[in-house]
Amino acid sequence: MPRQGGRNPVEALTDLARAQDGLFAASQAAAAGVDRHQLQRLVEQKLLERDRPGLYRLAPFPESDRAELWRAVLWPTFQRSDRPAALSDGTALGLYEVSTINPSTIDIAIPRSLRLRREPPAGVRVNRRDYEPSDLTVISGLPATTLYRTLIDLIMNGRDLQFVDEALTHARTAALLTSKELRSIVALRGLDGQLLAMLRNRS
């Protein structure tokens, strides 16, 4: 197998796959120095599997129970590797294990400026929002909004409020939020519905 930039392509792809439960986008491979012709050869050699259009799995990695989450956040990177996505809203809340939420839809957030030519995969809801770096984190390797940002988004959208209330009474929540953040969330949750609607229209 020819080397790209001094590295074996399999080594470069293994680094990507190890961080993403075996999955990676073709654009990420290209950014790591592995082109589509090399990907095709690796598929023919049974070292790679085509998982979805533009998405591959390194064969030694078994299907992960988080594979659908990875497919959702990698979807915007199919064409360009610099299209960041993060799990958000109810999906992100589920990762924190502070409520009984079990969403049937996977929520991802992407910047408003991104223009995507593909429709999102079935079961994926796209939220266009611009976040500060401090609004984003990594949970068990998955990119996601922080618990603070997640609760704000759910309250502002009026979604899954019963699970927001659950989270606010969960002992683990206090350990994941500062006292100031917790007070802010409680205050926001207590706002009149009409006032919240006005705030939503301005955001």
Side-chain angles (χ1 to χ4, degrees), residues 31-50:
V34 182
D35 62 32
R36 290 184 180 273
H37 298 294
Q38 291 171 305
L39 291 176
Q40 176 60 31
R41 286 197 293 273
L42 292 170
V43 170
E44 292 169 356
Q45 294 168 11
K46 310 294 187 186
L47 294 172
L48 286 186
E49 299 171 359
R50 283 195 180 89

Side-chain angles (χ1 to χ4, degrees), residues 29 50 56 88 95 100-101 119 128 145 156 169-170 176 181 184 195 202:
R50 283 195 180 89
Y56 294 83
S88 67
L95 294 176
T100 57
I101 193 169
E119 290 296 314
R128 291 186 173 273
T145 51
M156 293 299 295
T169 61
H170 198 287
L176 295 172
E181 288 173 338
S184 296
L195 180 55
R202 293 180 181 178

Side-chain angles (χ1 to χ4, degrees), residues 149-177:
R149 184 73 249 180
T150 298
L151 293 172
I152 288 177
D153 289 340
L154 288 171
I155 294 170
M156 293 299 295
N157 290 328
R159 290 182 194 159
D160 299 318
L161 295 179
Q162 70 272 34
F163 299 111
V164 171
D165 293 339
E166 269 189 52
L168 290 175
T169 61
H170 198 287
R172 180 173 159 79
T173 299
L176 295 172
L177 298 176

